[in-house]
């Protein structure tokens, strides 16, 4: 697409020649462009320097005849490459058409042409040319989308090739080590031994969370929910905490247990930026220091506090023992989106099981039959296309982009024409979108605090309809309840020894990557898998 943009930029000065005409000749396999520059002495034919951009052979003549055939991985990769070359060839033709139409506009506006054309004729021609230009520009945007899709498919095919080569190499190494010297010297038949795929074993009662899982920034509340002089109790990794705002208005997070008699602090009140215990009135600041002890001599007492910051409309805490990371991840909706709903729910399920569910879209036409997936057809094949490293990509054939962002965040952008109706082949091809943020905070081994934020890039007035937030909450809870009954059933089976990841298939890719990432964190691996830096 860089060549297309360059050609567009180079084509602009054509309109500044005093008299110029652009002639195109369609030749076998492509286009050649010649510019004729007229002077009083005569015409000189000159080949333009950027004409070679359009002298590209049409790739369809070289495409493999693969219809109705089974292709191996390398042949499929060649087909994907031909698709990309065709999209590039198609885009060059669209750009050439725009350049020709621009030259026609120059001809219409030429002072010599106005001598014998009426104003009405010129206006009519300009209107027709504007329509042609609009169509041509639209075709370029479609070509860009085709190229982008082809690039995604090419990356997917290259990943398959790399996986196949790696599997073959591992198989050969296994053959060499498994054969004894006498057997390898006398046998004429190559014994192929396929290495077993590493299996996930997520079974048995949920174990206590590993301390290394705490060394991340966790969003725990929405900014709008934490008012001045109010408190918000939360559980994180099976420990009780309480949020409140200090004298400066900044949020703080302290242990939800008074140092005196272990009374829950959230039962008290906030007094001048300090949280006051309801038992004997001891008051604590946001750093956990006890600053007031009524009816007794003041002592040096401090309760635990956590690093706490406010960003992107959310309250973040760092529950780990390691020094906090210098920056917080951004969870702002994409540009052009407006936040319509922020919902918090406590769910009786382990947070990893909920993440598994949110990272899976293939279940939608079977589970969400009375909500957003009502009427969806069941595709013959569902794929999640993603780079070899990373935990983001898009669902095929659904127009939905999705990302897992450590440690417990799922972001998704759904392309829709109107709520509940799908259109297009990718989210970028759709005219309107729904953006979702799910945060699955591990409250305890069998409890998750879910933070849900919903944003739209259309219908901004919906935000100002009275009680609209109740409608969004009702719909969110209805969708979640469709999932929850299944996930609770999984949790029950898992606690009794069943492996919930017994047979992963192709559309489980993102969930499997999350589980591999989490396993690497708990094992203390320095270079975490699927990170963008690798």
């Amino acid at each position: 697409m860089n060549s297309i943009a360059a050609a567009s930029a180079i084509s602009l000065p054509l309109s500044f020649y005093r008299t110029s005409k652009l002639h195109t000749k369609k030749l076998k396999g492509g286009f050649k462009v010649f510019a004729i520059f007229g002077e009083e002495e005569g015409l000189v034919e000159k080949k333009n320097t950027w004409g070679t951009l359009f002298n590209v052979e049409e790739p369809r003549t070289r495409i493999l005849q693969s219809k109705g055939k089974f292709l191996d991985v390398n042949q499929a990769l060649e087909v994907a490459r031909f698709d990309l070359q065709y999209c590039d060839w198609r885009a060059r033709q669209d750009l050439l058409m725009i350049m020709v139409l621009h030259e026609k506009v120059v001809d219409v506006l030429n002072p010599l042409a106005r001598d014998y054309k009426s104003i009405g004729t010129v206006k009519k021609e300009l209107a027709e040319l504007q329509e042609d230009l609009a169509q041509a520009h639209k075709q370029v945007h479609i070509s860009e989308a085709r190229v982008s899709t082809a690039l995604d498919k090419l990356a997917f095919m290259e990943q398959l090739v790399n996986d196949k080569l790696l599997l073959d190499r591992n198989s050969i190494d296994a053959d060499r080590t498994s054969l004894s010297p006498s057997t390898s010297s006398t046998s004429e038949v190559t014994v192929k031994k396929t290495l077993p795929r590493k299996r996930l074993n997520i079974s048995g009662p949920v174990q206590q969370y590993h301390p290394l899982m705490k060394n991340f920034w966790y969003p725990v509340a929405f900014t709008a929910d934490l008012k001045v002089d109010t408190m918000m109790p939360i559980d994180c990794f099976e420990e009780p905490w309480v949020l409140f705002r200090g004298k400066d208005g900044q949020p703080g997070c302290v242990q939800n247990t008074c140092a005196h008699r272990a009374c829950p602090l959230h039962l008290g009140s906030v007094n001048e930026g300090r949280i006051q215990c309801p038992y004997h009135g001891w008051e604590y600041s946001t750093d956990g220091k006890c600053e007031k002890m009524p009816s007794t001599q003041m002592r040096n007492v401090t309760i635990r506090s956590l690093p706490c910051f406010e960003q992107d409309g959310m309250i973040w805490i760092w529950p780990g023992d390691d020094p906090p990371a210098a920056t917080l991840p951004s969870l702002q909706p994409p540009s052009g989106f407006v936040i319509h709903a922020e919902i918090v729910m406590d769910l009786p399920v382990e947070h990893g099981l909920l993440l598994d569910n949110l990272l899976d879209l293939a279940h939608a036409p079977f589970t969400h039959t009375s909500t957003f997936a009502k009427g969806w057809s069941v595709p013959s094949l569902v794929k999640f296309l993603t780079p070899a490293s990373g935990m983001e990509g898009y669902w095929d054939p659904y127009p939905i982009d999705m990302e897992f962002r450590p440690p417990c965040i799922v972001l998704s952008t759904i392309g829709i024409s109107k709520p509940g109706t799908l259109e297009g082949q990718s989210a970028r091809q759709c005219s309107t979108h729904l953006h979702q943020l799910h945060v699955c905070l591990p409250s305890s081994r069998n409890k998750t605090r879910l933070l849900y934020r919903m944003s739209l890039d259309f219908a901004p007035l919906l935000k100002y309809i009275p009680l609209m937030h109740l409608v969004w909450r009702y719909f969110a809870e209805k969708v979640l309840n469709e999932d929850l009954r299944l996930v609770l059933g999984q949790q029950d089976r898992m606690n009794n020894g069943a492996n919930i990841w017994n047979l992963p298939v192709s559309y489980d890719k993102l969930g499997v990557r999350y589980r591999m990432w989490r396993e690497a964190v708990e094992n203390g691996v320095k270079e975490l898998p699927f990170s963008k830096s690798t």
Side-chain angles (χ1 to χ4, degrees):
M1 295 311 295
N2 289 334
S3 62
I4 297 174
S8 300
I10 296 172
S11 67
L12 292 176
L14 287 174
S15 61
F16 293 102
Y17 288 109
R18 284 180 294 173
T19 55
S20 61
K21 294 183 179 179
L22 182 68
H23 296 270
T24 62
K25 294 181 180 180
K26 187 172 182 180
L27 302 179
K28 181 178 180 181
F31 283 91
K32 287 190 176 180
V33 182
F34 295 87
I36 301 177
F37 304 88
E39 299 291 345
E40 293 181 358
E41 295 78 13
L43 299 177
V44 179
E45 183 172 319
K46 182 180 180 181
K47 186 173 182 180
N48 205 345
T49 55
W50 43 260
T52 55
L53 290 173
F54 304 102
N55 187 16
V56 178
E57 180 184 356
E58 182 180 354
R60 285 186 295 187
T61 58
R62 297 181 287 112
I63 292 178
L64 297 173
Q65 300 299 320
S66 58
K67 185 175 182 181
K69 297 181 180 180
F70 289 97
L71 304 180
D72 59 24
V73 175
N74 290 301
Q75 288 175 326
L77 181 60
E78 286 300 311
V79 172
R81 285 175 176 164
F82 279 131
D83 287 343
L84 184 60
Q85 291 174 10
Y86 174 74
C87 289
D88 177 71
W89 175 81
R90 180 71 258 177
R92 291 170 191 260
Q93 291 194 37
D94 295 337
L95 181 59
L96 179 59
M97 178 60 68
I98 289 179
M99 295 166 61
V100 172
L101 290 171
H102 274 293
E103 283 302 312
K104 288 185 179 181
V105 172
V106 173
D107 289 341
V108 172
L109 297 177
N110 192 306
L112 295 177
R114 287 202 295 270
D115 291 341
Y116 58 86
K117 292 183 180 179
S118 67
I119 295 178
T121 303
V122 173
K123 286 184 176 179
K124 182 179 179 182
E125 291 183 356
L126 280 176
E128 293 175 351
L129 288 173
Q130 286 177 342
E131 184 178 351
D132 291 341
L133 280 172
Q135 291 294 329
H137 280 291
K138 181 179 180 181
Q139 189 62 38
V140 167
H141 292 313
I142 295 175
S143 296
E144 289 177 349
R146 288 173 178 168
V147 171
S148 178
T149 302
L151 286 171
D152 291 337
K153 289 184 179 179
L154 184 61
F156 176 68
M157 296 304 298
E158 288 177 340
Q159 180 189 344
L160 290 180
V161 171
N162 293 334
D163 292 345
K164 181 68 165 57
L165 293 175
L166 180 62
L167 180 61
D168 291 343
R169 185 167 67 248
N170 291 338
S171 299
I172 293 174
D173 293 342
D175 294 341
R176 291 174 179 174
T177 56
S178 62
L179 294 176
S180 63
S182 59
T183 305
S184 59
S185 60
T186 57
S187 175
E188 298 180 357
V189 180
T190 302
V191 179
K192 289 190 176 182
K193 190 175 182 180
T194 303
L195 292 178
R197 178 180 295 180
K198 183 179 179 180
R199 291 180 57 189
L200 293 171
N201 185 8
I202 311 298
S203 61
V206 181
Q207 302 299 313
Q208 187 173 359
Y209 286 107
H210 198 283
L212 294 178
M213 283 291 294
K214 300 180 181 180
N215 291 321
F216 294 92
W217 283 110
Y218 283 85
V220 295
F222 292 113
T223 293
D225 294 337
L226 188 62
K227 310 293 184 182
V228 178
D229 297 335
T230 62
M231 294 171 290
M232 182 182 298
I234 64 168
D235 291 331
C236 184
F237 290 105
E238 302 194 64
E239 293 185 272
W241 304 92
V242 60
L243 305 171
F244 67 102
R245 294 189 181 273
K247 295 179 181 180
D248 56 359
Q250 297 301 313
C253 180
V254 299
Q255 173 186 334
N256 193 9
T257 305
C258 182
H260 179 214
R261 301 281 292 275
C263 179
L265 292 175
H266 77 274
L267 299 178
S269 60
V270 177
N271 180 30
E272 297 181 349
R274 296 186 298 267
I275 190 168
Q276 184 184 71
C277 178
Y279 210 167
H280 297 91
W282 290 24
E283 296 184 8
Y284 301 87
S285 59
T286 53
D287 61 359
K289 182 177 178 59
C290 184
E291 296 185 346
K292 195 171 183 179
M293 294 180 182
S295 308
T296 187
Q297 184 178 359
M298 188 69 184
R299 297 184 182 184
N300 185 19
V301 175
T302 302
I303 59 175
R304 288 182 61 197
S305 65
L306 298 178
C308 183
F309 286 94
E310 190 171 14
Q311 177 177 292
D312 296 340
M314 308 193 83
I315 310 296
W316 302 70
I317 64 172
W318 180 278
D321 296 327
D322 287 356
T327 58
L328 279 69
S330 176
L331 296 183
Q332 283 280 43
S335 177
F337 282 80
V338 175
I339 297 174
H340 283 254
E342 291 181 337
I343 300 169
V344 180
M345 289 181 276
D346 290 316
L347 306 174
V349 64
E350 194 270 331
H351 92 290
L353 292 174
L354 188 59
L355 281 170
D356 290 340
N357 175 269
L358 293 171
L359 294 171
D360 171 23
L361 192 65
H363 74 278
F366 305 98
T367 304
H368 301 290
T369 54
S370 62
T371 54
F372 71 90
K374 185 177 182 179
W376 282 19
S377 59
V378 179
S380 58
L381 180 64
V382 175
K383 296 179 292 183
F384 184 78
L385 303 180
T386 180
S389 63
M391 287 184 280
E392 75 280 348
Y394 70 92
W395 291 92
D396 184 9
Y398 303 121
I400 298 178
D401 299 335
M402 184 172 285
E403 175 186 358
F404 169 72
R405 188 169 295 179
C408 61
I409 302 162
V410 178
L411 301 169
S412 58
T413 301
I414 304 172
I416 54 177
S417 58
K418 58 183 179 179
T421 303
L422 295 172
E423 70 169 15
Q425 294 180 343
S426 70
R428 283 172 291 185
Q429 292 175 314
C430 298
S431 57
T432 53
H433 304 82
L434 163 69
H435 181 75
Q436 295 186 115
L437 162 71
H438 291 86
V439 177
C440 300
L441 180 69
S443 297
S444 67
R445 280 174 280 186
N446 294 301
K447 181 182 175 183
T448 299
R449 179 180 176 87
L450 175 66
L451 277 63
Y452 173 74
R453 173 189 282 169
M454 186 270 291
S455 308
L456 302 175
D457 63 356
F458 64 99
L461 295 179
L462 286 177
K463 184 176 181 179
Y464 304 102
I465 298 177
L467 305 179
M468 193 65 194
H469 65 284
L470 298 179
V471 176
W472 292 128
R473 185 177 185 91
Y474 169 78
F475 184 77
E477 290 180 346
K478 189 172 182 180
V479 172
L480 189 61
N481 285 332
E482 290 178 326
D483 286 318
L484 197 57
R485 64 188 184 93
L486 307 179
V487 179
L488 286 173
Q490 281 184 296
Q491 183 170 263
D492 178 69
R493 300 297 187 270
M494 180 184 71
N495 288 335
N496 288 318
N499 183 6
I500 62 169
W501 278 102
N502 194 40
L503 291 172
V505 294
S506 59
Y507 53 67
D508 293 323
K509 181 184 298 183
L510 194 54
V512 170
R513 289 191 176 188
Y514 155 67
R515 286 293 180 175
M516 294 177 67
W517 171 86
R518 181 172 167 179
E519 181 179 322
V521 171
E522 293 174 348
N523 290 333
V525 177
K526 293 183 178 180
E527 295 292 334
L528 296 177
F530 312 115
S531 62
K532 295 181 179 180
S533 60
T534 56

